[in-house]
Amino acid sequence: MSKKTKPDSELQGLTHLIVDATIGVTDLVEEMHKQVVHPPFLPSTSIQKLITKIAGFTFSNIRWSTKVIGNSVSKILKHLTPAIGNIKSSDKKEVLLSVLNGVIGDYLEEKENPLKIDMQFRYKSKAIQINNESLKGTYPKINGKILLMIHGSCMSDIQWNHKNHNHGEILSEELDKTPIYLNYNSGKHISTNGKDLNKNLQKLVENWPVPVEEIMIITHSMGGLLTRSALYYADQNNNNKWTKHLKKVAFLGTPHHGSHVERIGSYLDLILESVPYLKPFARLGKIRSAGVTDLRYGNLVDEDWQRSGRFERKGDQREHIQLPNKIEFFAVAATTGKESAHASTQILGDSLVDIKSALGQHKKTAKNLNFKGENTWIVYENNHLELLSNPKILDKLKTWLL
């Protein structure tokens, strides 16, 4: 959440969201009504047309009254600032906002809704301004070895603390690095966030209080795609100041070639749209954000999603972007099955990302990411979230990042 966002603006943002959601549901109900009153492939009678016309007035009134009430509530909220100012922020509140942004973050951004999260670097749940003074105040014992932690979809920086465990805090202490966490709106296109991260990392390196010796990045899930996107745009813009310091990147459960969960979701859209009486419900599936649909195949750049509509089924048309040669990359894949389990457990993987996708392996060998064998590892009986707290993964990261 933006540092400037206040509780009253948050509530106004929520009001706008409720208004838009109510209107959206009204549209859905009206469409369902039309499907029932006017069965597909059959002519409509004058009675049916009259029913639809009367119902149309009703639905229009609902939309109008919702907008009026919503605007009134927004005005009232402006006068409640003194009382609302006492509302305290909490981890639960941040987690909720992160999920909301992950699901409809592109919509919140488009509407400039105060509930949207702005990209920022943070430490111990507090925003860091990218200037010398703020960085010195945040890190009294700052050094030139930066460890950047980048979270996944529908999450926030505070969720690196999982089951009282934080890979970043432990590694930074034991390996003598300065930890910094990225927080971002995971509902926006990965390429949009990638370009923003590239700019912010450039600014961070320019304002770091001591000479930067090295940068290491640990990513979880979508965070790995965001990192690869930032690397691509740094190279395209010949803006390599921060990438020259980047030594190692570790991916934890990153869907390099997409997630089967989002692909299943797109198939569901197709099924709903093919059945006339269920077609209105296809709208519900299409509320999911640009960030979520980017996970279908693992989009990294603008061109990956600009070629066609987000909900069109045209297969994997991504630009193939190989990993840069001068940086060492590592990948951890997880599966909920046991090591001796049937091969089908590899398809399900950690419940969100299958093993091959996490290891950058593609059915077309030309699209393989070609991680070195010693730089990949599969952890068994582990789900997607447990990648954040598994002590065996911590030990592996220690070995890799030394």
Side-chain angles (χ1 to χ4, degrees):
M1 184 173 53
S2 171
K3 187 177 180 181
K4 295 181 180 179
T5 302
K6 297 179 181 180
D8 58 324
S9 60
E10 288 176 6
L11 287 177
Q12 288 181 56
L14 185 58
T15 300
H16 293 315
L17 191 61
I18 292 171
V19 168
D20 290 342
T22 303
I23 292 172
V25 171
T26 302
D27 291 342
L28 175 62
V29 173
E30 183 174 21
E31 183 63 28
M32 288 176 62
H33 172 270
K34 289 179 180 178
Q35 293 289 337
V36 173
V37 176
H38 303 276
F41 315 119
L42 294 176
S44 297
T45 66
S46 56
I47 296 297
Q48 288 172 311
K49 292 178 180 179
L50 178 61
I51 292 172
T52 299
K53 188 173 183 179
I54 294 172
F57 285 120
T58 303
F59 291 124
S60 295
N61 285 332
I62 291 173
R63 294 188 191 92
W64 176 82
S65 60
T66 299
K67 290 178 180 179
V68 170
I69 293 171
N71 291 334
S72 299
V73 172
S74 292
K75 291 177 181 178
I76 293 171
L77 287 172
K78 291 181 180 179
H79 298 287
L80 295 179
T81 302
I84 297 172
N86 294 324
I87 299 175
K88 295 182 178 179
S89 181
S90 67
D91 287 355
K92 289 182 179 179
K93 176 181 173 182
E94 288 210 16
V95 169
L96 180 61
L97 284 174
S98 298
V99 172
L100 185 66
N101 275 260
V103 176
I104 56 170
D106 54 341
Y107 168 85
L108 297 176
E109 183 76 20
E110 179 188 349
K111 298 296 184 180
E112 298 184 349
N113 191 295
L115 296 173
K116 70 183 178 69
I117 292 173
D118 294 325
M119 181 177 285
Q120 58 184 202
F121 292 114
R122 310 217 311 173
Y123 181 59
K124 293 186 176 179
S125 303
K126 294 182 179 179
I128 302 171
Q129 300 302 311
I130 310 178
N131 59 60
N132 192 286
E133 183 179 349
S134 178
L135 288 164
K136 280 184 177 180
T138 302
Y139 304 104
K141 297 181 179 180
I142 198 168
N143 64 27
K145 299 178 180 180
I146 301 172
L147 178 62
L148 174 61
M149 310 292 291
I150 304 180
H151 66 76
S153 176
C154 294
M155 302 183 76
S156 74
D157 59 298
I158 65 173
Q159 285 165 284
W160 279 103
N161 288 301
H162 187 251
K163 296 183 178 179
N164 297 316
H165 176 98
N166 186 321
H167 289 324
E169 292 302 304
I170 297 171
L171 289 168
S172 60
E173 183 176 343
E174 295 191 11
L175 302 182
D176 189 29
K177 302 185 188 303
T178 302
I180 190 166
Y181 296 78
L182 184 74
N183 196 39
Y184 65 98
N185 176 351
S186 61
K188 294 166 65 175
H189 276 296
I190 288 169
S191 58
T192 303
N193 279 325
K195 285 183 278 191
D196 289 343
L197 177 58
N198 170 46
K199 294 175 183 177
N200 281 322
L201 277 172
Q202 183 68 14
K203 187 177 179 181
L204 183 72
V205 168
E206 291 172 352
N207 287 274
W208 201 253
V210 299
V212 176
E213 300 174 47
E214 66 178 25
I215 300 174
M216 294 189 182
I217 302 177
I218 298 177
T219 74
H220 178 240
S221 194
M222 179 191 279
L225 298 177
L226 174 56
T227 301
R228 290 180 57 204
S229 179
L231 282 168
Y232 171 82
Y233 285 110
D235 182 62
Q236 293 297 301
N237 299 330
N238 295 317
N239 185 13
N240 291 318
K241 192 168 184 179
W242 70 269
T243 60
K244 288 178 181 178
H245 298 290
L246 183 60
K247 304 299 181 185
K248 299 178 179 181
V249 178
F251 302 106
L252 307 183
T254 291
H256 292 290
H257 296 303
S259 169
H260 58 276
V261 176
E262 167 54 24
R263 287 195 287 272
I264 291 171
S266 66
Y267 279 117
L268 181 59
D269 291 341
L270 188 65
I271 292 170
L272 290 174
E273 287 186 340
S274 66
V275 181
Y277 288 110
L278 296 179
K279 190 172 182 178
F281 287 101
R283 293 186 187 181
L284 297 177
K286 292 180 179 179
I287 66 168
R288 61 190 190 277
S289 68
V292 171
T293 54
D294 277 344
L295 293 176
R296 189 177 309 157
Y297 296 113
N299 293 343
L300 298 181
V301 299
D302 289 343
E303 291 76 9
D304 290 341
W305 54 267
Q306 287 176 340
R307 291 191 181 96
S308 59
R310 291 199 294 120
F311 299 101
E312 290 182 31
R313 291 204 51 79
K314 289 192 175 182
D316 185 359
Q317 298 183 328
R318 293 173 299 154
E319 295 281 337
H320 176 58
I321 298 173
Q322 190 54 263
L323 300 174
N325 292 323
K326 296 182 180 180
I327 302 166
E328 199 165 7
F329 294 94
F330 307 87
V332 174
T335 174
T336 54
K338 296 181 179 180
E339 189 168 1
S340 58
H342 191 269
S344 62
T345 60
Q346 294 197 12
I347 298 175
L348 296 176
D350 61 19
S351 72
L352 292 180
V353 182
D354 66 77
I355 289 179
K356 288 187 176 181
S357 183
L359 298 182
Q361 299 170 358
H362 198 277
K363 60 184 179 181
K364 294 182 179 178
T365 55
K367 292 189 175 183
N368 286 344
L369 293 185
N370 300 319
F371 286 98
K372 295 178 181 178
E374 64 270 23
N375 288 4
T376 64
W377 190 56
I378 300 173
V379 57
Y380 296 88
E381 300 181 70
N382 197 111
N383 66 35
H384 197 64
L385 277 180
E386 288 170 344
L387 287 164
L388 300 173
S389 57
N390 190 323
K392 293 181 180 179
I393 294 176
L394 176 65
D395 292 337
K396 182 62 70 172
L397 290 172
K398 285 180 186 177
T399 302
W400 283 341
L401 300 183
L402 277 174

